Every structure is written in C-alpha cells, then in structure tokens.
C-alpha cells in the first residue's frame, strides 16, 4: 500500500466509494442503519470523517439523516422516483448530444471495454456487479460529454436511479440492456447521432418502466459482513 493510500482522506474516499457501491448493488438495502462508530471501525477513520462521508451520501440522495442524526440507506418513494427519472431524461439526452459531437476512437474503445466487463459479470451470474456496471456505463457517457457539471449531475441521478431500482424494480433480462449499450456505441461509431439519441431515449424509458414493483422486505443485513466485501 502506498503512503498516500493510507492517509485519512484517502481512507474516507475509499469508505465513500465502498458504501455507494454496496448501496447501488443492493447489498445494503433501503432502511439499513449506518452507525458512525461501526463505520469508523470498519474503515479505520475518525467519526468526524465518517460524518463527512455520510453527508456526501445524503447529498447524493443515497442516505437519509434522521432527526436524531442517525443515518440509514435512503428509501425513495414513487414520487421521488418520478422526479429523478424526469431529471435523468433531460441530462442524458443532452449528454448523448455532446458525446456524439465529441466522439473519438478512445471513447469508443473505453466504452466497449466497459460493456465487455458488463457481459463478463453477467456470464458469471454476478447480477449485482453487472447491474452496477450497467449504471456506470451511463456515468461514463457523462464523462465523455466533457462537461464537468453535466458529468457531476448525471452521475448523481444515475446512482439514485440504481437505488430506486433496488426499491421498486422488477426483474429483467440484463442482456437486453447490454445489447442496447453495444448498439449505442455502434451508432456513435457510425456518426448516426439521430438514431443514437432515439435509442438512448428508448433505453432509458425501459429502465424507468422497470422501476415499478416494490421489492420484498428482507431481514436486516449484517453491516460488518457486507462491507467486508467492499
């Protein structure tokens, strides 16, 4: 481990990424309590840094802070879901427009490598990883727009959508989503901006349509055991 990787700020960043990943992969389900002392011990940081990490997750819409300052994984309702998807439609359509205008071989290669990782995860029956990688594909589209603000806000709504799908989502064939990601790249490679935008709209409509059925309640998870995997 490098000296910088062991600094408190780096450990706090690692804690943020680990918690976000565990939430969007549905390992930490909505309503799961996130006690500061347990998190501080797990990640080897102070409770002050844990509070900062939780504040970032609250701002990202993935964690809720109660009146007693207790933190839990967010449990978005149907109204929250509709609002988030409305915003995502606006941001993602603009992202596709910008990505098409700034398309390059490097962007194409990076996205194709990412989709191969999605497919590999699914081939190994790792549906949680495949689902997270599917969300990250859209985050990478935001990065390819080369607009820092669009990248930031699109990433936030994409992760919120990932959480919403764990709450309201219905099962679906992830191969269809992967195929649409591949098709989108092919259209952008061909310079077919109009069809790429239409496909992006259709693809996102399918994601939104799956955010319909509430998930069945499960027993409270063991926080320490889950985070040991992240």
């Amino acid at each position: 481990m490098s000296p910088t990787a062991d600094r408190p700020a780096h450990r706090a960043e690692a804690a943020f990424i680990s918690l976000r990943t565990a939430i969007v992969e549905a390992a930490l389900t909505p309503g799961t309590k996130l006690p500061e002392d347990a998190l501080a011990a797990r990640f080897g940081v102070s409770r002050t840094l844990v509070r900062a990490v939780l504040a970032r997750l609250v701002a990202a819409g993935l964690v809720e802070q109660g009146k007693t300052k207790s933190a839990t994984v967010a449990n978005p309702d149907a109204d929250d879901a509709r609002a988030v998807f409305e915003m995502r439609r606006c941001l993602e359509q603009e992202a596709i427009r910008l990505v098409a205008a700034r398309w390059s071989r490097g962007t194409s290669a990076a996205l194709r490598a990412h989709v191969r990782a999605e497919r590999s995860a699914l081939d190994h029956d790792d549906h949680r990883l495949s689902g997270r990688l599917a969300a990250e594909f859209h985050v990478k589209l935001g990065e390819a727009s080369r607009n820092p603000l669009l990248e930031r806000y699109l990433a936030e709504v994409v992760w919120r959508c990932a959480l919403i799908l764990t709450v309201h989502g219905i099962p679906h064939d992830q191969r269809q989503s992967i195929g649409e990601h591949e098709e989108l790249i092919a259209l952008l490679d061909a310079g077919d901006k109009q069809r790429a935008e239409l496909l992006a709209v259709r693809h996102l409509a399918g994601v939104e349509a799956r955010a319909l059925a509430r998930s069945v309640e499960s027993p409270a998870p063991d926080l320490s055991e889950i985070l040991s995997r992240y």
Side-chain angles (χ1 to χ4, degrees), residues 27 54 58 60 190:
L54 292 174
V58 169

Side-chain angles (χ1 to χ4, degrees), residues 10 17 32 75 91 112 115 134 139 144-145 151 160 168 170 172 179 183 189-190 192 198 202 225-227:
H10 287 79
I17 294 172
T32 300
N75 189 11
L91 293 173
R112 286 187 181 279
V115 173
V139 173
S145 74
E151 175 187 342
R160 288 194 186 200
H168 303 279
I170 56 176
H172 73 288
E183 185 182 354
D189 277 340
D192 196 337
L198 289 173
R202 174 164 56 85
E225 190 278 328
I226 289 170
L227 292 178

Side-chain angles (χ1 to χ4, degrees), residues 119 122 127 130 170-180 203 210:
R119 194 172 288 283
L122 190 58
H127 295 278
S130 178
I170 56 176
H172 73 288
D173 184 358
Q174 288 179 309
R175 295 188 190 279
Q176 179 182 345
S177 293
I178 293 171
E180 289 174 348
H203 176 75
R210 291 193 293 273

Side-chain angles (χ1 to χ4, degrees), residues 12-206:
E13 180 65 17
F16 172 78
I17 294 172
S18 294
L19 286 166
R20 184 184 67 188
T21 301
I23 291 169
V24 301
E25 287 190 2
L28 292 177
T29 53
T32 300
K33 293 181 179 179
L34 302 171
E36 291 179 4
D37 53 351
L39 295 177
R42 173 67 188 86
F43 294 110
V45 296
S46 67
R47 291 184 64 170
T48 299
L49 284 177
V50 166
R51 282 193 288 272
V53 167
L54 292 174
R56 288 178 64 189
L57 291 166
V58 169
L62 300 179
V63 166
E64 296 171 348
Q65 200 89 44
K67 292 181 179 179
T68 61
K69 296 187 178 180
S70 59
T72 59
V73 176
N75 189 11
D77 61 23
D79 288 338
D80 294 329
R82 282 191 291 270
V84 171
F85 275 103
E86 284 174 358
M87 179 58 69
R88 182 171 172 181
R89 283 197 299 272
C90 297
L91 293 173
E92 195 141 344
Q93 288 180 54
E94 180 62 13
I96 291 294
R97 188 186 70 78
L98 291 175
V99 170
R102 299 164 181 175
W103 192 247
S104 69
R105 289 183 180 178
T107 300
S108 177
L111 288 175
R112 286 187 181 279
H114 187 86
V115 173
R116 286 196 296 273
E118 288 182 57
R119 194 172 288 283
S120 175
L122 190 58
D123 288 343
H124 288 86
D125 293 323
D126 193 339
H127 295 278
R128 284 182 172 175
L129 175 58
S130 178
R132 174 170 62 81
L133 290 173
E136 284 183 359
F137 176 84
H138 296 268
V139 173
K140 289 187 176 294
L141 282 177
E143 294 172 358
S145 74
R146 301 183 203 166
N147 181 311
L149 283 177
L150 179 57
E151 175 187 342
R152 172 185 168 187
Y153 295 130
L154 180 58
E156 181 177 317
V157 297
V158 166
W159 294 129
R160 288 194 186 200
C161 287
L163 172 60
I164 287 164
L165 284 166
T166 71
V167 181
H168 303 279
I170 56 176
H172 73 288
D173 184 358
Q174 288 179 309
R175 295 188 190 279
Q176 179 182 345
S177 293
I178 293 171
E180 289 174 348
H181 289 172
E182 292 170 333
E183 185 182 354
L184 179 62
I185 296 170
L187 289 171
L188 291 167
D189 277 340
D192 196 337
K193 173 185 171 182
Q194 184 175 11
R195 288 179 63 196
E197 290 181 3
L198 289 173
L199 173 60
V201 170
R202 174 164 56 85
H203 176 75
L204 184 53

